[in-house]
Amino acid sequence: MSQDQPERPQEVQRQQKQPIKYGDVFQVSGKLADKPVAPQDAAMMQAAETTVFGQTQKGGTAAAMQAAATINERAGLVSHDDLTVTGDQGVAVTATEVPGARVVTETIAGEVVRRYVEATPILQQEGGVGDLHQQGFITIGEALEAASRTTGNKPVERSDAAAIQAAEVRATGSNLVIPGGLAAQAQSAATLNASTCEEDKVRLSEVLTDATVKLPADKVATREDAEGVLSAERRNNPNLTAHPAGVAAAIAAAANLNEKVV
């Protein structure tokens, strides 16, 4: 299951003259929770993240540890050379590749402090998308098909088209609107519906049915995808709201379920 982002050390309530401990920053227990975050601990996590990602992750575990360690050092509660996480377990960052996603796990002294899914687009012709079902993940294309079933009778509006375009961009990894693709169809439908009587309007189901087939690439739906699609849907709605069972809602539901698979 995906864990929350580490707390910002400056927001952690602590007694005066007490160092920031691992239990203040991460959801950990036992001996680790009572250990102060030390500069060399942070350095080890930075090295581990750099090995896996090529750089430290903004707002990630190493960044949270470095911020806490810096505060502790400036307060004179630890020294620059202090190391509190020792032994064989130390710190570790692992990335497990599955079709359409990468599962990242970060541990300190054997305790998982952060686990999350990074989605990676895969081409439909590669044949890997079907393997996602065996892994239990839901793709963006599948979430769009779910939206076509739950609210398919809804006329396509500008906000729907924007949400579909955002979903297509995230599924394919390309900012280009694909000619004849989902986004292009949705935009055309929204434009047509603006000047068409109710019974003749194009419905969401006409655009989103077989979305997984229409997308040239697909990937696992993540929380970041859900937030991006929701933002697009809201920005293009006159009331700055999103349909409770629309495109953004379907992506969010898929992302939530995917987090439980990990």
Side-chain angles (χ1 to χ4, degrees), residues 181-225:
L182 288 177
Q185 292 179 36
Q187 290 173 358
S188 296
T191 300
L192 178 65
N193 286 351
S195 57
T196 304
C197 61
E198 184 67 24
E199 63 262 23
D200 292 332
K201 289 185 176 181
V202 180
R203 311 290 168 171
L204 272 176
S205 61
E206 297 178 65
V207 175
L208 296 180
T209 297
D210 295 328
T212 55
V213 177
K214 296 174 182 176
L215 286 170
D218 204 355
K219 74 177 185 68
V220 171
T222 66
R223 184 181 302 182
E224 291 74 19
D225 297 326

Side-chain angles (χ1 to χ4, degrees), residues 17 73 79 83 110 123 129 152-153 173 176-177 179 191 202 210:
K17 298 300 182 181
E73 184 178 357
S79 70
L83 176 68
L123 296 177
V129 176
N153 198 44
L176 298 176
V177 176
T191 300
V202 180
D210 295 328

Side-chain angles (χ1 to χ4, degrees), residues 9 14 17-21 36-43 46 64-84:
R14 61 191 186 278
K17 298 300 182 181
Q18 289 294 315
I20 298 175
K21 301 174 183 178
V37 183
Q40 293 307 309
D41 300 344
Q46 287 175 335
M65 290 174 65
Q66 183 61 60
T70 298
I71 292 173
N72 286 344
E73 184 178 357
R74 287 177 178 173
L77 301 172
V78 298
S79 70
H80 183 72
D81 295 326
D82 277 357
L83 176 68
T84 58

Side-chain angles (χ1 to χ4, degrees), residues 136-160:
F137 293 111
I138 302 173
T139 68
I140 289 177
E142 290 170 328
L144 293 176
E145 289 181 349
S148 76
R149 293 190 294 269
T150 57
T151 187
N153 198 44
K154 179 184 182 297
V156 180
E157 300 176 353
R158 182 184 173 192
S159 58
D160 301 315

Side-chain angles (χ1 to χ4, degrees), residues 25-49:
V25 184
F26 304 105
Q27 294 181 4
V28 295
S29 58
K31 294 181 179 179
L32 178 62
D34 294 327
K35 290 184 177 182
V37 183
Q40 293 307 309
D41 300 344
M44 286 197 302
M45 183 57 79
Q46 287 175 335
E49 287 191 357

Side-chain angles (χ1 to χ4, degrees), residues 160-173:
D160 301 315
I164 292 170
Q165 181 176 354
E168 182 179 85
V169 166
R170 289 179 172 274
T172 63

